[in-house]
Amino acid sequence: MKKLDKNFEDIISVENLLEAWREFLRGKRGKRDVQEFSLSLMDNILELHAELLNHTYKHGGYQAFNISDPKPRSIHKATVRDRLLHHAIYRILYPFFDNKFIADSYSCRKNKGTHKALNRFRDFGYKVSKNKMKTCWVLKCDIRKFFANIDHQILLDILKNYIHDQNILRLLKNVIESFPGGLPLGNLTSQLFVNIYMNEFDKFVKHKLKAKYYTRYADDFIIFSENKNLLEDQIPIIRQFLHEKLRLELHPDKVFIKTLASGVDFLGWVHFPYHRVLRTSTKRRMLKRLRENNSPETRASYKGLLKHGNTYKLVQKIF
């Protein structure tokens, strides 16, 4: 297995911290804590660099707040200096690990994202149904409390398979164990860590289950097949792997097998063989937000969203 060819100094160098600051700053210039940090920017960066170099750095605590996006979520925000370090780590690790991920993992990756996942879903539907000549069955699963149930030790053991630099591993352990139980939704590093974690499952599905038509977005994943019985047989195997290898569980209310012709709900859209329509709850949420904020930016954002499905009547009604 090819190991990371970067070292600890690549992460903690002043040059990397400065580049990380430039990336971190995007969209945050108006935040008070960011402005305060930037008042003594070089002093703060040099102090952080010295702590990292001397191995005295200790990750700080988190500020918690709740959002609805659309379901209630608890976000934990680290201090500015810790988030700066997250960006510095991410800059070095992401390019290496992104090359390790399967092509059909779409969450929190450059040149991937929701829209490409939706299009991949459509392509798989065409292929498996032989352009609607055969019945296409879809297994859809969701992992229960995904971020909250990431096991720290398992994650660290996976990272050890790819990273030989003990100082990097100690730093990653410092970041991972700064949050008691699971990973915080607010950390940039968490986005990378969960993909590294779930890459073990992705490889299992592709290489052991031999699932040719599989795609995953965060904790939602889909397997297409002409054979319903095959998909039914795979559910307990999937459960066992997730439980034994990753200490994760499938959400008991979000595992189902349906035909594509009956409509499959995935990433805010209900998909059919030749079209997709906006999920009812997504449509209601959109209309509510437009009533609350009908700015040009909001309207443009939703127009962009609606381009990705069969929404002509809805667009005419709203816009």
Side-chain angles (χ1 to χ4, degrees), residues 148-166:
N149 287 320
I150 300 295
D151 185 280
H152 289 179
Q153 189 56 54
I154 293 175
L155 174 58
L156 289 167
D157 288 341
I158 294 170
L159 290 168
K160 288 175 186 175
N161 292 331
Y162 297 97
I163 300 171
H164 60 80
D165 190 313
Q166 294 301 308

Side-chain angles (χ1 to χ4, degrees), residues 255-283:
V255 176
F256 61 76
I257 299 175
K258 295 179 69 176
T259 62
L260 184 57
S262 67
V264 176
D265 191 325
F266 182 59
L267 297 182
W269 295 82
V270 180
H271 301 255
F272 297 91
Y274 290 116
H275 71 288
R276 53 179 174 249
V277 297
L278 204 60
R279 182 195 294 162
T280 302
S281 60
T282 305
K283 181 166 63 176

Side-chain angles (χ1 to χ4, degrees), residues 84-143:
L84 167 58
L85 177 61
H86 299 165
H87 276 260
I89 292 170
Y90 188 88
R91 293 188 78 254
I92 301 302
L93 296 192
Y94 175 83
F96 171 79
F97 280 104
D98 190 63
N99 286 327
K100 303 293 183 186
F101 300 151
I102 67 166
D104 288 310
S105 163
Y106 288 92
S107 175
C108 301
R109 295 180 65 191
K110 295 174 183 176
N111 302 315
K112 296 288 184 177
T114 307
H115 299 322
K116 290 196 174 181
L118 294 173
N119 291 338
R120 191 61 161 166
F121 184 105
R122 179 191 60 202
D123 294 344
F124 281 169
Y126 288 161
K127 289 177 180 177
V128 176
S129 68
K130 303 292 192 290
N131 285 336
K132 213 179 176 180
M133 297 299 292
K134 293 190 174 184
T135 301
C136 174
W137 293 94
V138 181
L139 167 63
K140 181 178 182 298
C141 301
D142 183 296
I143 294 173

Side-chain angles (χ1 to χ4, degrees), residues 4 6-13 16 49 51-55 85 92 165-172:
L4 177 71
K6 302 292 185 179
N7 56 42
F8 184 64
E9 287 69 28
D10 292 318
I11 293 177
I12 71 164
S13 71
N16 190 49
H49 169 72
E51 289 183 18
L52 292 164
L53 186 63
N54 297 321
H55 306 293
L85 177 61
I92 301 302
D165 190 313
Q166 294 301 308
N167 287 325
I168 293 180
L169 289 171
R170 277 191 286 270
L171 178 60
L172 298 183

Side-chain angles (χ1 to χ4, degrees), residues 289-299 318-319:
R289 288 183 177 175
L290 283 169
R291 286 194 297 269
E292 295 171 348
N293 178 15
N294 199 13
S295 69
E297 294 80 10
T298 303
R299 290 163 63 86
I318 297 172
F319 301 109

